[in-house]
Amino acid sequence: VSLLSRLNDDMKTAMKAKDKESLQVIRMIKSSIQNEQIKEGHDLTEDEELTVLSREMKQRRDSLHEFEEAGRDDLAEKVKSEIVIVEKYMPEQLSEDDIRQLVQEAITQTGASSVKEFGKVMGVIMPKVKGKADGNQVNAIVKELLQS
């Protein structure tokens, strides 16, 4: 079942349940996917859909961070519940241990030995964890392992 069909089904369910919050988030995701389809000029592959979903998730995580720093708990709570809804459509997330293992493999594969080669390692690791891990977390682990 494609992501768009799943979104449409969930949208109908949310309408029937009068779940305004889910409905709003589902519509935003669906709109982003359709905009990307128009931009690309073809139906999106699973990988491209994942890219759009990851972007939606990143925007919400960034917003959450900003709201928490500004002390806007009301807005932070709203974004937290949106994140929970978006997570339903994301692939299962990797554990920190899994990420560490993949990063270690990427470091070995690239032969990186210092933080100067950070970009090389990130270039290898990011396609492997796309949509399955938060980029900021991966970034922190790569830096940590390259410094040790």
Side-chain angles (χ1 to χ4, degrees):
V1 179
S2 80
L3 181 59
L4 272 178
S5 331
R6 243 179 90 198
L7 288 168
N8 283 327
D9 294 344
D10 291 352
M11 200 162 79
K12 289 174 193 163
T13 308
M15 282 181 196
K16 288 177 185 167
K18 294 188 176 17
D19 180 354
K20 288 182 180 166
E21 188 176 22
S22 292
L23 186 60
Q24 178 191 11
V25 175
I26 292 168
R27 281 184 172 147
M28 265 191 265
I29 295 169
K30 189 176 170 210
S31 166
S32 294
I33 288 173
Q34 289 172 327
N35 287 339
E36 191 72 16
Q37 276 182 335
I38 291 166
K39 194 174 103 187
E40 296 295 326
H42 61 80
D43 285 351
L44 300 181
T45 62
E46 271 186 45
D47 205 36
E48 290 169 323
E49 288 176 343
L50 187 58
T51 302
V52 174
L53 270 178
S54 298
R55 193 175 13 197
E56 289 290 317
M57 185 59 90
K58 182 177 181 346
Q59 285 172 349
R60 284 172 177 76
R61 284 195 176 123
D62 291 348
S63 297
L64 179 62
H65 180 70
E66 295 294 321
F67 292 149
E68 284 175 340
E69 274 189 359
R72 292 294 309 266
D73 295 335
D74 53 332
L75 295 173
E77 286 307 310
K78 183 180 183 307
V79 174
K80 278 181 190 169
S81 54
E82 285 183 11
I83 287 173
V84 170
I85 296 166
V86 177
E87 279 175 342
K88 286 195 283 190
Y89 302 99
M90 297 288 288
E92 192 174 324
Q93 299 296 293
L94 295 169
S95 71
E96 186 175 338
D97 291 339
D98 292 339
I99 297 170
R100 282 184 182 283
Q101 186 180 344
L102 287 168
V103 168
Q104 197 57 60
E105 288 169 13
I107 290 172
T108 307
Q109 183 184 335
T110 58
S113 57
S114 72
V115 181
K116 290 179 185 155
E117 296 166 288
F118 173 81
K120 220 191 273 183
V121 177
M122 287 298 283
V124 170
I125 190 75
M126 286 315 285
K128 292 180 184 175
V129 299
K130 185 177 188 178
K132 298 179 196 160
D134 178 29
N136 294 331
Q137 185 184 18
V138 175
N139 188 324
I141 292 173
V142 169
K143 279 183 183 162
E144 177 193 324
L145 292 178
L146 282 176
Q147 285 170 347
S148 58

